[in-house]
PDB file of all heavy atoms in Angstrom:
ATOM      1  N   PRO O1275     -20.711 -47.644 -20.384  1.00 97.00           N
ATOM      2  CA  PRO O1275     -19.307 -48.020 -20.183  1.00 97.00           C
ATOM      3  C   PRO O1275     -19.111 -49.442 -19.657  1.00 97.00           C
ATOM      4  O   PRO O1275     -18.024 -49.988 -19.785  1.00 97.00           O
ATOM      5  CB  PRO O1275     -18.845 -47.011 -19.120  1.00 97.00           C
ATOM      6  CG  PRO O1275     -20.093 -46.685 -18.332  1.00 97.00           C
ATOM      7  CD  PRO O1275     -21.237 -46.780 -19.293  1.00 97.00           C
ATOM      8  N   ARG O1309     -14.666 -52.452 -22.370  1.00 97.00           N
ATOM      9  CA  ARG O1309     -13.800 -52.841 -21.265  1.00 97.00           C
ATOM     10  C   ARG O1309     -14.273 -54.038 -20.472  1.00 97.00           C
ATOM     11  O   ARG O1309     -13.562 -54.515 -19.601  1.00 97.00           O
ATOM     12  CB  ARG O1309     -13.556 -51.645 -20.333  1.00 97.00           C
ATOM     13  CG  ARG O1309     -14.789 -51.092 -19.680  1.00 97.00           C
ATOM     14  CD  ARG O1309     -14.476 -49.686 -19.191  1.00 97.00           C
ATOM     15  NE  ARG O1309     -14.814 -49.520 -17.791  1.00 97.00           N
ATOM     16  CZ  ARG O1309     -15.207 -48.372 -17.267  1.00 97.00           C
ATOM     17  NH1 ARG O1309     -15.292 -47.290 -18.039  1.00 97.00           N
ATOM     18  NH2 ARG O1309     -15.490 -48.277 -16.003  1.00 97.00           N
ATOM     19  N   SER O1313     -21.480 -56.217 -16.591  1.00 98.00           N
ATOM     20  CA  SER O1313     -21.070 -55.968 -15.196  1.00 98.00           C
ATOM     21  C   SER O1313     -22.246 -56.097 -14.232  1.00 98.00           C
ATOM     22  O   SER O1313     -22.096 -55.847 -13.046  1.00 98.00           O
ATOM     23  CB  SER O1313     -20.476 -54.577 -15.072  1.00 98.00           C
ATOM     24  OG  SER O1313     -21.497 -53.641 -15.317  1.00 98.00           O
ATOM     25  N   ALA O1315     -26.893 -56.280 -13.709  1.00 98.00           N
ATOM     26  CA  ALA O1315     -28.155 -55.635 -14.089  1.00 98.00           C
ATOM     27  C   ALA O1315     -27.924 -54.126 -14.101  1.00 98.00           C
ATOM     28  O   ALA O1315     -26.986 -53.630 -13.473  1.00 98.00           O
ATOM     29  CB  ALA O1315     -29.231 -56.001 -13.075  1.00 98.00           C
ATOM     30  N   ASP O1316     -28.783 -53.399 -14.821  1.00 97.00           N
ATOM     31  CA  ASP O1316     -28.653 -51.949 -14.829  1.00 97.00           C
ATOM     32  C   ASP O1316     -29.266 -51.404 -13.540  1.00 97.00           C
ATOM     33  O   ASP O1316     -30.485 -51.385 -13.382  1.00 97.00           O
ATOM     34  CB  ASP O1316     -29.371 -51.356 -16.056  1.00 97.00           C
ATOM     35  CG  ASP O1316     -29.075 -49.868 -16.199  1.00 97.00           C
ATOM     36  OD1 ASP O1316     -28.758 -49.227 -15.161  1.00 97.00           O
ATOM     37  OD2 ASP O1316     -29.157 -49.347 -17.315  1.00 97.00           O
ATOM     38  N   ILE O1317     -28.382 -50.975 -12.634  1.00 97.00           N
ATOM     39  CA  ILE O1317     -28.830 -50.575 -11.292  1.00 97.00           C
ATOM     40  C   ILE O1317     -29.784 -49.379 -11.370  1.00 97.00           C
ATOM     41  O   ILE O1317     -30.630 -49.198 -10.501  1.00 97.00           O
ATOM     42  CB  ILE O1317     -27.600 -50.241 -10.413  1.00 97.00           C
ATOM     43  CG1 ILE O1317     -26.675 -51.454 -10.338  1.00 97.00           C
ATOM     44  CG2 ILE O1317     -28.013 -49.837  -9.011  1.00 97.00           C
ATOM     45  CD1 ILE O1317     -25.336 -51.164  -9.693  1.00 97.00           C
ATOM     46  N   ARG O1318     -29.642 -48.592 -12.422  1.00 96.00           N
ATOM     47  CA  ARG O1318     -30.525 -47.411 -12.541  1.00 96.00           C
ATOM     48  C   ARG O1318     -31.982 -47.798 -12.740  1.00 96.00           C
ATOM     49  O   ARG O1318     -32.876 -46.981 -12.538  1.00 96.00           O
ATOM     50  CB  ARG O1318     -30.065 -46.533 -13.714  1.00 96.00           C
ATOM     51  CG  ARG O1318     -28.821 -45.754 -13.365  1.00 96.00           C
ATOM     52  CD  ARG O1318     -28.212 -45.107 -14.611  1.00 96.00           C
ATOM     53  NE  ARG O1318     -26.775 -45.154 -14.502  1.00 96.00           N
ATOM     54  CZ  ARG O1318     -26.038 -44.192 -13.950  1.00 96.00           C
ATOM     55  NH1 ARG O1318     -26.618 -43.118 -13.487  1.00 96.00           N
ATOM     56  NH2 ARG O1318     -24.735 -44.303 -13.864  1.00 96.00           N
ATOM     57  N   GLY O1354     -25.811 -59.908 -12.350  1.00 98.00           N
ATOM     58  CA  GLY O1354     -26.546 -60.434 -13.501  1.00 98.00           C
ATOM     59  C   GLY O1354     -25.608 -60.867 -14.623  1.00 98.00           C
ATOM     60  O   GLY O1354     -25.933 -61.778 -15.395  1.00 98.00           O
ATOM     61  N   GLU O1357     -24.647 -64.200 -13.902  1.00 98.00           N
ATOM     62  CA  GLU O1357     -25.829 -65.063 -14.082  1.00 98.00           C
ATOM     63  C   GLU O1357     -26.016 -65.417 -15.562  1.00 98.00           C
ATOM     64  O   GLU O1357     -26.368 -66.548 -15.894  1.00 98.00           O
ATOM     65  CB  GLU O1357     -27.072 -64.367 -13.499  1.00 98.00           C
ATOM     66  CG  GLU O1357     -26.990 -64.368 -11.974  1.00 98.00           C
ATOM     67  CD  GLU O1357     -28.068 -63.548 -11.290  1.00 98.00           C
ATOM     68  OE1 GLU O1357     -28.260 -62.379 -11.684  1.00 98.00           O
ATOM     69  OE2 GLU O1357     -28.701 -64.069 -10.360  1.00 98.00           O
ATOM     70  N   PRO O1376     -21.920 -59.084  -6.358  1.00 98.00           N
ATOM     71  CA  PRO O1376     -21.879 -57.964  -5.408  1.00 98.00           C
ATOM     72  C   PRO O1376     -23.260 -57.522  -4.921  1.00 98.00           C
ATOM     73  O   PRO O1376     -23.368 -56.525  -4.217  1.00 98.00           O
ATOM     74  CB  PRO O1376     -21.212 -56.853  -6.221  1.00 98.00           C
ATOM     75  CG  PRO O1376     -21.510 -57.180  -7.638  1.00 98.00           C
ATOM     76  CD  PRO O1376     -21.735 -58.650  -7.749  1.00 98.00           C
ATOM     77  N   GLU O1377     -24.306 -58.261  -5.291  1.00 98.00           N
ATOM     78  CA  GLU O1377     -25.671 -57.811  -4.957  1.00 98.00           C
ATOM     79  C   GLU O1377     -25.858 -57.489  -3.480  1.00 98.00           C
ATOM     80  O   GLU O1377     -26.568 -56.541  -3.138  1.00 98.00           O
ATOM     81  CB  GLU O1377     -26.702 -58.873  -5.378  1.00 98.00           C
ATOM     82  CG  GLU O1377     -27.010 -58.912  -6.865  1.00 98.00           C
ATOM     83  CD  GLU O1377     -26.064 -59.838  -7.625  1.00 98.00           C
ATOM     84  OE1 GLU O1377     -24.954 -60.126  -7.115  1.00 98.00           O
ATOM     85  OE2 GLU O1377     -26.419 -60.266  -8.734  1.00 98.00           O
ATOM     86  N   LEU O1380     -25.522 -54.109  -2.467  1.00 98.00           N
ATOM     87  CA  LEU O1380     -26.590 -53.201  -2.919  1.00 98.00           C
ATOM     88  C   LEU O1380     -27.885 -53.511  -2.175  1.00 98.00           C
ATOM     89  O   LEU O1380     -28.965 -53.066  -2.575  1.00 98.00           O
ATOM     90  CB  LEU O1380     -26.805 -53.363  -4.431  1.00 98.00           C
ATOM     91  CG  LEU O1380     -25.591 -53.092  -5.326  1.00 98.00           C
ATOM     92  CD1 LEU O1380     -25.904 -53.463  -6.775  1.00 98.00           C
ATOM     93  CD2 LEU O1380     -25.174 -51.630  -5.247  1.00 98.00           C
ATOM     94  N   PRO O1384     -28.494 -62.222  -5.625  1.00 98.00           N
ATOM     95  CA  PRO O1384     -28.603 -62.520  -7.058  1.00 98.00           C
ATOM     96  C   PRO O1384     -30.060 -62.842  -7.372  1.00 98.00           C
ATOM     97  O   PRO O1384     -30.702 -63.578  -6.621  1.00 98.00           O
ATOM     98  CB  PRO O1384     -27.708 -63.753  -7.233  1.00 98.00           C
ATOM     99  CG  PRO O1384     -26.756 -63.705  -6.073  1.00 98.00           C
ATOM    100  CD  PRO O1384     -27.508 -63.071  -4.946  1.00 98.00           C
ATOM    101  N   GLY O1385     -30.576 -62.284  -8.449  1.00 98.00           N
ATOM    102  CA  GLY O1385     -32.014 -62.425  -8.700  1.00 98.00           C
ATOM    103  C   GLY O1385     -32.334 -63.061 -10.032  1.00 98.00           C
ATOM    104  O   GLY O1385     -33.478 -63.045 -10.462  1.00 98.00           O
ATOM    105  N   ARG O1526     -19.667 -42.430  -6.477  1.00 95.00           N
ATOM    106  CA  ARG O1526     -19.134 -42.105  -7.802  1.00 95.00           C
ATOM    107  C   ARG O1526     -19.404 -40.649  -8.188  1.00 95.00           C
ATOM    108  O   ARG O1526     -18.653 -40.047  -8.944  1.00 95.00           O
ATOM    109  CB  ARG O1526     -19.737 -43.056  -8.837  1.00 95.00           C
ATOM    110  CG  ARG O1526     -19.108 -44.434  -8.729  1.00 95.00           C
ATOM    111  CD  ARG O1526     -19.912 -45.539  -9.354  1.00 95.00           C
ATOM    112  NE  ARG O1526     -19.158 -46.788  -9.302  1.00 95.00           N
ATOM    113  CZ  ARG O1526     -19.063 -47.578  -8.229  1.00 95.00           C
ATOM    114  NH1 ARG O1526     -19.681 -47.243  -7.115  1.00 95.00           N
ATOM    115  NH2 ARG O1526     -18.334 -48.673  -8.248  1.00 95.00           N
ATOM    116  N   LYS O1530     -17.547 -35.600  -9.057  1.00 93.00           N
ATOM    117  CA  LYS O1530     -18.004 -34.925 -10.284  1.00 93.00           C
ATOM    118  C   LYS O1530     -18.560 -33.565  -9.910  1.00 93.00           C
ATOM    119  O   LYS O1530     -19.711 -33.438  -9.516  1.00 93.00           O
ATOM    120  CB  LYS O1530     -19.093 -35.760 -10.949  1.00 93.00           C
ATOM    121  CG  LYS O1530     -18.540 -36.978 -11.631  1.00 93.00           C
ATOM    122  CD  LYS O1530     -19.641 -37.730 -12.353  1.00 93.00           C
ATOM    123  CE  LYS O1530     -19.144 -39.116 -12.708  1.00 93.00           C
ATOM    124  NZ  LYS O1530     -20.133 -40.149 -12.484  1.00 93.00           N
TER     125      LYS O1530
HETATM  126  C1  3H9 I 651     -27.662 -57.378 -10.308  1.00 92.00           C
HETATM  127  O1  3H9 I 651     -27.000 -57.709 -11.231  1.00 92.00           O
HETATM  128  C2  3H9 I 651     -28.970 -58.035  -9.930  1.00 92.00           C
HETATM  129  C3  3H9 I 651     -29.191 -59.346 -10.626  1.00 92.00           C
HETATM  130  O2  3H9 I 651     -28.659 -60.403  -9.864  1.00 92.00           O
HETATM  131  C4  3H9 I 651     -30.651 -59.644 -10.777  1.00 92.00           C
HETATM  132  C5  3H9 I 651     -31.434 -58.723 -11.625  1.00 92.00           C
HETATM  133  C6  3H9 I 651     -32.842 -59.208 -11.833  1.00 92.00           C
HETATM  134  N1  3H9 I 651     -25.712 -50.378 -13.659  1.00 92.00           N
HETATM  135  O3  3H9 I 651     -17.619 -47.900 -11.176  1.00 92.00           O
HETATM  136  P1  3H9 I 651     -17.256 -47.150 -12.383  1.00 92.00           P
HETATM  137  C7  3H9 I 651     -21.902 -46.969 -13.998  1.00 92.00           C
HETATM  138  S1  3H9 I 651     -27.214 -56.068  -9.343  1.00 92.00           S
HETATM  139  C8  3H9 I 651     -25.744 -49.108 -14.048  1.00 92.00           C
HETATM  140  O4  3H9 I 651     -16.816 -45.742 -12.223  1.00 92.00           O
HETATM  141  P2  3H9 I 651     -15.005 -48.875 -12.791  1.00 92.00           P
HETATM  142  C9  3H9 I 651     -21.328 -46.143 -12.863  1.00 92.00           C
HETATM  143  O5  3H9 I 651     -22.342 -45.546 -12.115  1.00 92.00           O
HETATM  144  C10 3H9 I 651     -25.765 -55.399 -10.143  1.00 92.00           C
HETATM  145  N2  3H9 I 651     -24.658 -48.311 -14.078  1.00 92.00           N
HETATM  146  O6  3H9 I 651     -16.196 -47.932 -13.275  1.00 92.00           O
HETATM  147  C11 3H9 I 651     -20.485 -45.161 -13.632  1.00 92.00           C
HETATM  148  O7  3H9 I 651     -21.364 -44.195 -14.160  1.00 92.00           O
HETATM  149  P3  3H9 I 651     -20.894 -42.677 -14.307  1.00 92.00           P
HETATM  150  C12 3H9 I 651     -24.573 -56.204  -9.849  1.00 92.00           C
HETATM  151  C13 3H9 I 651     -23.498 -48.845 -13.678  1.00 92.00           C
HETATM  152  O8  3H9 I 651     -14.277 -49.255 -14.024  1.00 92.00           O
HETATM  153  C14 3H9 I 651     -19.948 -45.976 -14.803  1.00 92.00           C
HETATM  154  O9  3H9 I 651     -20.845 -47.082 -14.937  1.00 92.00           O
HETATM  155  N3  3H9 I 651     -23.392 -55.553 -10.390  1.00 92.00           N
HETATM  156  C15 3H9 I 651     -23.409 -50.163 -13.255  1.00 92.00           C
HETATM  157  O10 3H9 I 651     -14.274 -48.244 -11.670  1.00 92.00           O
HETATM  158  C16 3H9 I 651     -18.548 -46.506 -14.584  1.00 92.00           C
HETATM  159  O11 3H9 I 651     -18.524 -47.203 -13.333  1.00 92.00           O
HETATM  160  C17 3H9 I 651     -22.712 -54.628  -9.688  1.00 92.00           C
HETATM  161  O12 3H9 I 651     -23.030 -54.329  -8.569  1.00 92.00           O
HETATM  162  C18 3H9 I 651     -24.572 -50.962 -13.260  1.00 92.00           C
HETATM  163  N4  3H9 I 651     -24.559 -52.247 -12.888  1.00 92.00           N
HETATM  164  O13 3H9 I 651     -15.708 -50.166 -12.222  1.00 92.00           O
HETATM  165  C19 3H9 I 651     -21.517 -54.025 -10.365  1.00 92.00           C
HETATM  166  N5  3H9 I 651     -22.120 -50.416 -12.909  1.00 92.00           N
HETATM  167  O14 3H9 I 651     -19.713 -42.711 -15.231  1.00 92.00           O
HETATM  168  C20 3H9 I 651     -21.475 -52.548 -10.118  1.00 92.00           C
HETATM  169  C21 3H9 I 651     -21.449 -49.280 -13.125  1.00 92.00           C
HETATM  170  O15 3H9 I 651     -22.103 -41.975 -14.830  1.00 92.00           O
HETATM  171  N6  3H9 I 651     -20.378 -51.899 -10.826  1.00 92.00           N
HETATM  172  N7  3H9 I 651     -22.259 -48.324 -13.584  1.00 92.00           N
HETATM  173  O16 3H9 I 651     -20.523 -42.280 -12.915  1.00 92.00           O
HETATM  174  C22 3H9 I 651     -19.119 -51.975 -10.420  1.00 92.00           C
HETATM  175  O17 3H9 I 651     -18.766 -52.617  -9.453  1.00 92.00           O
HETATM  176  C23 3H9 I 651     -18.108 -51.168 -11.195  1.00 92.00           C
HETATM  177  O18 3H9 I 651     -18.797 -50.192 -11.911  1.00 92.00           O
HETATM  178  C24 3H9 I 651     -17.270 -51.997 -12.191  1.00 92.00           C
HETATM  179  C25 3H9 I 651     -16.424 -51.020 -13.058  1.00 92.00           C
HETATM  180  C26 3H9 I 651     -16.344 -52.933 -11.429  1.00 92.00           C
HETATM  181  C27 3H9 I 651     -18.133 -52.790 -13.126  1.00 92.00           C
END
Side-chain angles (χ1 to χ4, degrees):
R1309 62 199 232 211
S1313 66
D1316 188 335
I1317 302 170
R1318 285 169 217 269
E1357 288 172 310
E1377 283 89 339
L1380 301 173
R1526 285 161 175 80
K1530 286 184 195 138

